[in-house]
Amino acid sequence: MIVGIHEIYILKDYILAIIISILIAYALKIPLLPKKPYRFSFQKSALFPTPIFAIGFMAFAQVLNINLPYEGVIAIIVGVFTAFFVKYIFDFLFPLPPESNLGDDTNE
């Protein structure tokens, strides 16, 4: 349990980090949605995986008990960092899967 921080402030920080990460990612020209079909797309977008990483980095900051004197500053920093992470580092850490030729009849 984190001492001295009310749960509403934590929830506000999570929501702020998600919103900031989506807006900055969209401003960095990451598409809002991946190409169709969505189910088989490995393209990154502003709506996925950006908010998921924002939640994870925000949880990491909460576990380490990183608090600044002003409310929401950590959430803004995490949101901006997450957008830049997805734009520039995501493909390096999580490369796209190789193309599979399961439907081809040719044996090469």
Side-chain angles (χ1 to χ4, degrees):
M1 181 174 171
I2 299 173
V3 178
I5 298 177
H6 197 267
E7 290 84 11
I8 295 296
Y9 294 122
I10 294 173
L11 183 63
K12 285 181 188 178
D13 284 347
Y14 276 99
I15 292 172
L16 183 63
I18 290 170
I19 291 171
I20 294 292
S21 68
I22 290 173
L23 291 177
I24 298 292
Y26 192 66
L28 289 172
K29 306 287 187 201
I30 297 176
L32 193 60
L33 292 172
K35 294 178 184 175
K36 288 186 180 181
Y38 302 128
R39 186 176 198 178
F40 301 110
S41 176
F42 287 102
Q43 182 186 13
K44 60 187 174 189
S45 67
L47 293 179
F48 183 81
T50 310
I52 307 304
F53 279 108
I55 292 170
F57 289 139
M58 199 62 208
F60 192 63
Q62 293 293 328
V63 166
L64 292 178
N65 203 14
I66 299 174
N67 296 320
L68 292 178
Y70 304 107
E71 180 184 336
V73 174
I74 291 295
I76 293 171
I77 292 170
V78 165
V80 171
F81 173 75
T82 303
F84 280 99
F85 175 81
V86 169
K87 175 72 176 182
Y88 297 111
I89 303 174
F90 181 78
D91 289 332
F92 179 71
L93 291 179
F94 306 106
L96 293 174
E99 296 285 332
S100 64
N101 297 325
L102 296 176
D104 286 343
D105 291 334
T106 59
N107 294 328
E108 295 181 57

